[in-house]
Amino acid sequence: GKPRYASPAWVEQLSQARQQLGSGTTLLAAHLCSTRVDEVLRGETGFVSRLQRLGFRRIQVNATAVNGVDMSLVNSPDAATNIL
């Protein structure tokens, strides 16, 4: 396999399609890897906030080395607090 990341334009289209169907019809979940996980572990909320505004209600944080995450951030004392 090879990593696949949705473009911002595609995510916007998905969000618009969900709104047209009605918010209770389709539930959106994001799976974060690599630098997006690093951002979350550092407490940076911009991207996650944007996903929430687009209708994503569940976010899975794939905090593993195989997903390209900076493992020093995973082991930092603030990591769990920053995720919540």
Side-chain angles (χ1 to χ4, degrees):
K2 180 172 154 177
R4 298 173 302 240
Y5 300 99
S7 70
W10 189 89
V11 174
E12 288 279 345
Q13 289 176 328
L14 177 64
S15 175
Q16 290 171 3
R18 178 188 165 272
Q19 289 174 0
Q20 289 173 358
L21 290 171
S23 61
T25 306
T26 305
L27 303 176
L28 299 179
H31 293 230
L32 303 185
C33 299
S34 191
T35 56
R36 293 300 185 185
V37 173
D38 293 347
E39 291 170 3
V40 169
L41 294 174
R42 285 192 296 265
E44 298 170 16
T45 61
F47 185 72
V48 171
S49 294
R50 182 170 181 271
L51 290 174
Q52 186 177 23
R53 284 191 303 274
L54 289 172
F56 287 79
R57 295 297 173 254
R58 180 179 175 276
I59 297 177
Q60 178 174 311
V61 178
N62 298 316
T64 63
V66 74
N67 284 311
V69 173
D70 179 349
M71 295 310 289
S72 69
L73 294 172
V74 172
N75 296 318
S76 77
D78 296 328
T81 303
N82 290 340
I83 287 177
L84 301 175

